[in-house]
């Protein structure tokens, strides 16, 4: 799903998920628990994969999946019960062989304030063995970096330095 650049998201052409913070997301400190953000990011990545023709069932049929190797999160503001939240993600790297990266931004819908920035590095694995394996061509095509984002990442050293992974 495309997002209006004015929405407060870092980059255009994000795939986004939208949700409302539920009571089950809240911890003893009356804000969204840190582990919930990670679940939201994973769910958004899975929804994005399905939207480009790679739902979990297709990955199982191909005996391939993208496994998280490393994730970094920077929490900036809390989300609270009832807040509308936008989870955005962009594929920022794909070598077409084994590795891909996604960048995430979680923002409050009402004021577009960034709540969290995150990044995950993935490696393609054979689901049957759990070992690294070359990604199928369909993965290389489905997880391409948007040309505009690619140009911006290549041209802007300052932006690359700000990204957390």
């Amino acid at each position: 799903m495309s997002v209006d650049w004015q929405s407060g998201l870092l980059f255009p052409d994000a795939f986004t998920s939208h949700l409302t913070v539920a009571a089950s997301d809240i911890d003893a400190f009356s804000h969204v628990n840190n582990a919930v953000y990670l679940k939201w990011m994973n769910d958004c990545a899975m929804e994005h994969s399905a939207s480009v023709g790679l739902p979990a069932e297709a990955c199982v049929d191909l005996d391939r999946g993208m496994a998280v190797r490393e994730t970094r999160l920077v929490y900036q503001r809390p989300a609270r019960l009832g807040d509308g939240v936008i989870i955005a993600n962009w594929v920022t790297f794909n070598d077409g062989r084994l590795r891909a990266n996604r960048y995430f931004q979680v923002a409050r819908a009402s004021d577009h304030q960034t709540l969290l920035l995150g990044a995950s590095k993935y490696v393609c694995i054979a689901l049957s063995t759990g070992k690294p394996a070359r990604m199928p061509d369909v993965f290389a095509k489905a997880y391409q970096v948007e040309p505009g984002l690619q140009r911006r990442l290549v041209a802007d050293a300052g932006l690359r330095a700000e990204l957390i992974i």
Side-chain angles (χ1 to χ4, degrees):
M1 161 185 311
S2 287
V3 175
D4 178 6
W5 177 250
Q6 301 304 314
S7 68
L9 296 179
L10 293 173
F11 309 110
D13 300 320
F15 177 87
T16 60
S17 297
H18 301 261
L19 58 87
T20 301
V21 176
S24 59
D25 299 327
I26 302 298
D27 64 17
F29 300 129
S30 299
H31 59 71
V32 171
N33 182 273
N34 60 311
V36 172
Y37 289 94
L38 189 60
K39 180 184 181 320
W40 290 347
M41 289 167 48
N42 185 68
D43 291 349
C44 184
M46 295 294 290
E47 290 171 22
H48 175 249
S49 292
S51 79
V52 296
L54 290 170
E57 301 80 18
C59 294
V60 170
D61 290 344
L62 292 166
D63 189 36
R64 292 293 184 275
M66 298 303 292
V68 175
R69 191 173 140 262
E70 178 180 353
T71 296
R72 293 193 183 180
L73 307 174
V74 176
Y75 299 93
Q76 296 187 344
R77 291 172 186 81
R80 303 211 184 270
L81 183 63
D83 282 347
V85 176
I86 303 164
I87 303 96
N89 89 98
W90 302 264
V91 175
T92 56
F93 173 78
N94 183 343
D95 68 6
R97 296 182 308 275
L98 193 64
R99 293 179 174 81
N101 298 348
R102 287 182 191 265
Y103 197 73
F104 296 88
Q105 180 181 9
V106 178
R108 190 170 28 248
S110 63
D111 60 8
H112 305 294
Q113 290 291 307
T114 297
L115 307 177
L116 173 136
L117 296 174
S120 292
K121 291 182 178 182
Y122 296 82
V123 64
C124 187
I125 62 167
L127 297 175
S128 58
T129 66
K131 293 182 180 181
R134 186 172 182 89
M135 69 175 65
D137 288 342
V138 67
F139 279 38
K141 290 176 185 162
Y143 299 131
Q144 288 184 6
V145 180
E146 291 290 326
L149 177 58
Q150 181 67 39
R151 282 190 297 278
R152 185 159 179 221
L153 290 170
V154 168
D156 191 337
L159 175 63
R160 288 193 312 274
E162 289 180 36
L163 299 180
I164 60 177
I165 208 167

